[in-house]
Amino acid sequence: MIESQSGNQIEGQKRRYWAGVGFRVREGMKMHQATGQLGKGPDSWRNVTEHCLVQVARSEVLSRLVGLPEDLVEDMRMGAILHDFHKKHEITATRQANENGTSPLAAVRSEQKKSEDMLRAAGFSSRVIRLASSSGGYAPQLIETKRILDQEILSDEDLAYLICHYVDDCSVGSDWVRPKFTDGDGYRVNIIDYRAEENKAKITYVAIGKEIRKELGEKCPEFAGMDHHDVMAILSHRIEEILSPNIAQIMKRPVDPLEIPELVDQKIREEIVKGEQLQK
């Protein structure tokens, strides 16, 4: 395992692994370059790109753990690298709206429209664009996720959408996920719950959170009055319940739904140590 190897060897393996991940989504990386997120210096947004690369790897692992076809895996990885390629402009617009007292949600929607137009102009398929747009806690993504979850039968493309949405909910920056936890009352949580609670405390989400909550309540009465971070957590735990038996079938052992984020990261660690790439 990693602990038994020298620091230099481990770092070399990590660099090769992530360089391979970036190479597989090089066309998506060009979009990060186009929006200025790969610039260097104190104002660099490269951490956003690193976050997207982590989601590429997690999407690859999870899609194979449920047995999705390779052409869909390819589109999922491209959706993962593209899901935040325009984040620099989205966050800047949100901050300006908060400062000006205007609608941050309207500002975000405007930037999201620009990003989709850029992707279409660059020749990305409608399926890639849909998967890239599946991430996040805005009303359209949450309502579409619920619609898919409420279906009796899920197609491979439905599972791909759910996985892309779920992986984003599990990913905080480019960090490894925190392990699941059971408190003194027996309440069990994982990274989904940690992230929901932390996001509620972020002051930058207050204004936009009110707008999202209002829109959710109007379009989906089941979510009326609910914080959108709680809605995200509820839906992601439903996704875990769907993915768990599929993963168990491939791994030939029971899989605790709350274990899935850790399981995915462990698979990535194993690939790093082996010096192998999921896709040459």
Side-chain angles (χ1 to χ4, degrees):
M1 297 301 292
I2 289 178
E3 290 78 4
S4 65
Q5 302 179 54
S6 71
N8 289 339
Q9 182 181 2
I10 296 168
E11 288 306 311
Q13 289 169 328
K14 286 181 179 178
R15 284 194 296 271
R16 286 191 294 274
Y17 177 85
W18 292 110
V21 173
F23 181 78
R24 294 198 291 282
V25 292
R26 54 194 178 277
E27 293 304 315
M29 293 288 285
K30 292 177 183 178
M31 301 303 294
H32 284 255
Q33 183 71 51
T35 56
Q37 290 193 168
L38 293 181
K40 297 181 180 180
D43 297 324
S44 173
W45 288 72
R46 296 174 74 91
N47 62 309
V48 176
T49 302
E50 292 171 0
H51 162 74
C52 291
L53 285 170
V54 168
Q55 289 194 203
V56 172
R58 286 175 175 156
S59 296
E60 288 180 330
V61 169
L62 194 45
S63 62
R64 291 194 170 96
L65 284 175
V66 300
L68 292 181
E70 190 57 39
D71 69 305
L72 192 49
V73 176
E74 182 176 348
D75 282 353
M76 290 171 69
R77 73 165 67 100
M78 194 59 68
I81 193 63
L82 292 171
H83 84 280
D84 271 348
F85 86 94
H86 204 253
K87 196 68 173 181
K88 173 182 178 179
H89 298 279
E90 186 178 308
I91 290 179
T92 300
T94 304
R95 288 173 177 167
Q96 290 175 346
N98 283 332
E99 291 171 1
N100 298 335
T102 56
S103 167
L105 186 57
V108 167
R109 291 275 163 77
S110 175
E111 293 301 324
Q112 289 175 338
K113 176 64 167 56
K114 291 177 185 177
S115 69
E116 289 189 10
D117 289 344
M118 288 179 67
L119 294 179
R120 289 192 184 91
F124 290 99
S125 70
S126 58
R127 186 164 79 173
V128 166
I129 294 172
R130 182 170 187 268
L131 292 172
S133 302
S134 67
S135 302
Y138 300 105
Q141 289 91 340
L142 296 176
I143 292 170
E144 175 64 4
T145 300
K146 180 184 181 299
R147 184 194 68 78
I148 294 173
L149 286 167
D150 287 345
Q151 296 176 164
E152 292 186 9
I153 299 175
L154 299 182
S155 67
D156 285 345
E157 291 201 14
D158 289 332
L159 285 172
Y161 187 99
L162 294 179
I163 287 171
C164 288
H165 181 85
Y166 173 76
V167 165
D168 188 54
D169 282 358
C170 292
S171 301
V172 180
S174 57
D175 297 333
W176 298 113
V177 299
R178 279 180 286 179
K180 62 183 181 296
F181 173 75
T182 303
D183 66 16
D185 296 323
Y187 184 65
R188 302 169 69 240
V189 302
N190 66 3
I191 186 63
I192 299 295
D193 307 281
Y194 293 135
R195 188 183 184 197
E197 291 306 312
E198 288 176 352
N199 282 344
K200 288 180 193 178
K202 293 181 179 178
I203 192 169
T204 53
Y205 289 155
V206 172
I208 198 168
K210 290 179 180 178
E211 291 187 277
I212 296 172
R213 184 161 56 247
K214 181 176 183 293
E215 184 177 10
L216 271 175
E218 291 173 348
K219 295 186 176 181
C220 189
E222 181 178 334
F223 297 146
M226 293 181 64
D227 185 282
H228 69 290
H229 297 301
D230 288 331
V231 174
M232 290 171 65
I234 289 168
L235 294 176
S236 281
H237 285 315
R238 286 185 62 187
I239 294 172
E240 288 173 335
E241 294 289 341
I242 287 174
L243 298 180
S244 176
N246 292 18
I247 298 172
Q249 185 174 10
I250 286 181
M251 296 194 68
K252 302 186 186 311
R253 71 165 176 83
V255 173
D256 179 352
L258 293 181
E259 173 193 3
I260 293 174
E262 296 169 75
L263 177 61
V264 169
D265 275 9
Q266 182 57 37
K267 291 292 183 183
I268 293 174
R269 287 186 174 100
E270 290 171 3
E271 294 295 335
I272 292 172
V273 172
K274 291 176 184 176
E276 299 172 352
Q277 296 297 330
L278 294 170
Q279 171 96 4
K280 298 295 184 182

